Amino acid sequence: MALRNIRVAGDEVLNKVCREVKENSPKLQTLIDDMFDTMYNAMGVGLAAPQVGILKRVVVIDADDNPYVLINPEIIETKGTQTGNEGCLSVPGKAGIVTRPNYVKVKALDRNFKEFILEGEELLARAICHECDHLDGHIYTEKVEGELFDVSDDYETQE
Ligand code: NI
C-alpha cells in the first residue's frame, strides 16, 4: 500500500490537460493501485491522476461499492440532470451544489487495457463527470451554483 500526496486547488498541476495513456506498464499498474489506496484512505469516491500529480488520463472510482479503473475515458452519452452536493479531495473540507447529467455512458480502457462501457446514474454519473473534468484541468468549483460551504472530513461525496 502506498499513499500519494493529494494536490490541492491552487496547485497548477490541477489545471493542465492530461495526456492519453498509450501503453500498459508496471508503472501504470502501480499508479492505479496507489490511486485506489489514496482514494480509500481519504474516504473519497473517485480520484483522477492529476490529483496525485500525474498528468495522465487515468481515473479510479468507487461510488457504488464497485471499483472502476477508467483509462482514457470518453463520455459518449448523457441523459437528464441532477442537482446536488459535490466535493473534491483537492478542495478539502468544502462542498458546493453542481448540476450534472443524471445518466452517463462512458467508454474507457480497464487496467488490462481492454475497452469497456460503463453506465452510471446518480452518484456514479456525477463521479464520472467530475473525474473526467479533472483530466481536462477543470475542478468542480468552476461549476458551483452559489457559494462553497464547509463540510466535515468524512463527507461522503468527495471526488
Ligand atoms: Ni475532484
Side-chain angles (χ1 to χ4, degrees):
M1 166 155 172
L3 299 179
R4 304 223 181 176
N5 189 27
I6 298 177
R7 306 300 184 92
V8 295
D11 188 323
E12 63 179 25
V13 77
L14 293 170
N15 302 119
K16 298 199 189 292
V17 176
C18 296
R19 293 181 298 273
E20 199 174 311
V21 181
K22 302 274 194 214
E23 58 182 10
N24 209 341
S25 66
K27 204 174 160 185
L28 179 68
Q29 295 297 316
T30 302
L31 171 66
I32 291 166
D33 289 337
D34 289 355
M35 285 173 64
F36 273 119
D37 290 341
T38 303
M39 177 184 76
Y40 288 130
N41 181 66
M43 309 283 284
V45 298
L47 189 72
Q51 292 183 275
V52 293
I54 305 291
L55 289 170
K56 289 183 177 166
R57 304 188 80 82
V58 180
V59 159
V60 298
I61 294 175
D62 188 344
D64 59 357
D65 292 326
N66 292 299
Y68 298 111
V69 176
L70 288 81
I71 299 168
N72 303 333
E74 206 182 313
I75 292 173
I76 52 177
E77 194 181 335
T78 63
K79 277 185 217 156
T81 60
Q82 57 174 318
T83 299
N85 293 348
E86 195 163 315
C88 179
L89 295 173
S90 295
V91 189
K94 300 282 181 189
I97 295 170
V98 182
T99 296
R100 299 282 192 184
N102 196 52
Y103 163 92
V104 172
K105 184 193 275 191
V106 64
K107 181 174 82 173
L109 301 176
D110 68 16
R111 66 182 303 159
N112 299 312
F113 253 56
K114 195 164 175 258
E115 191 175 291
F116 73 109
I117 300 277
L118 176 64
E119 293 175 282
E121 292 184 317
E122 301 177 2
L123 180 58
L124 180 56
R126 178 179 292 283
I128 292 167
C129 294
H130 179 114
E131 303 313 332
C132 287
D133 277 356
H134 273 300
L135 302 182
D136 288 322
H138 295 296
I139 302 186
Y140 82 98
T141 50
E142 298 166 26
K143 296 182 172 166
V144 163
E145 297 154 33
E147 299 292 319
L148 289 180
F149 50 86
D150 293 328
V151 292
S152 64
D153 288 343
D154 58 354
Y155 191 66
E156 66 177 8
T157 57
Q158 297 194 95
E159 301 152 80

